[in-house]
Amino acid sequence: MRKSDLKFFKNLLNTWRDDLLQQADGTVSLLTAPYDNPSDITDRASFEADRNFMLRIRDRESKLISKINEALQRIEDGTYGICEVCGEDISVERLKVRPVTTYCIECKTKQEAFEKAAGL
Ligand SMILES: [Zn+2]
């Protein structure tokens, strides 16, 4: 991969991670917001539903953030954009769509076909 491409993805991943972290901050303050009226069952139920929803989002976000961190680490190691299965370069077009991917399109397609066949 060209140096200019690596720089592009490094910026992209850093900005993406910052956005996610900022969103996560917002989620935390919502999670710790006190009940206005704890005796109101309806409010309490919807607060609990919101809270569960937020926790699910946070779980997904934190997984994504660790994937972004791994991708940034691969940029440092010089292994970013290399398929971890076949060792071929992953196309820049594919990385622009999925910057944290570690599979080239051929291996991803094979993996998905395998998972489908195995009923995963
Ligand atoms: Zn591959």
Side-chain angles (χ1 to χ4, degrees), residues 11-54:
N11 281 333
L12 183 97
L13 290 160
N14 274 316
T15 311
W16 192 14
R17 186 176 58 178
D18 288 349
D19 280 357
L20 285 169
L21 289 171
Q22 250 170 13
Q23 279 171 32
D25 280 352
T27 317
V28 172
S29 61
L30 205 141
L31 283 175
T32 53
Y35 296 100
D36 280 331
N37 182 2
S39 63
D40 187 323
I41 304 275
T42 317
D43 271 6
R44 197 187 161 109
S46 76
F47 180 86
E48 287 297 322
D50 283 354
R51 192 168 175 277
N52 286 338
F53 179 67
M54 285 297 171

Side-chain angles (χ1 to χ4, degrees), residues 82-90 102-108 110:
I82 298 170
C83 174
E84 70 176 21
V85 178
C86 66
E88 296 288 325
D89 284 346
I90 303 170
T102 54
Y103 294 115
C104 71
I105 192 71
E106 287 83 9
C107 293
K108 183 69 193 169
K110 272 185 222 162

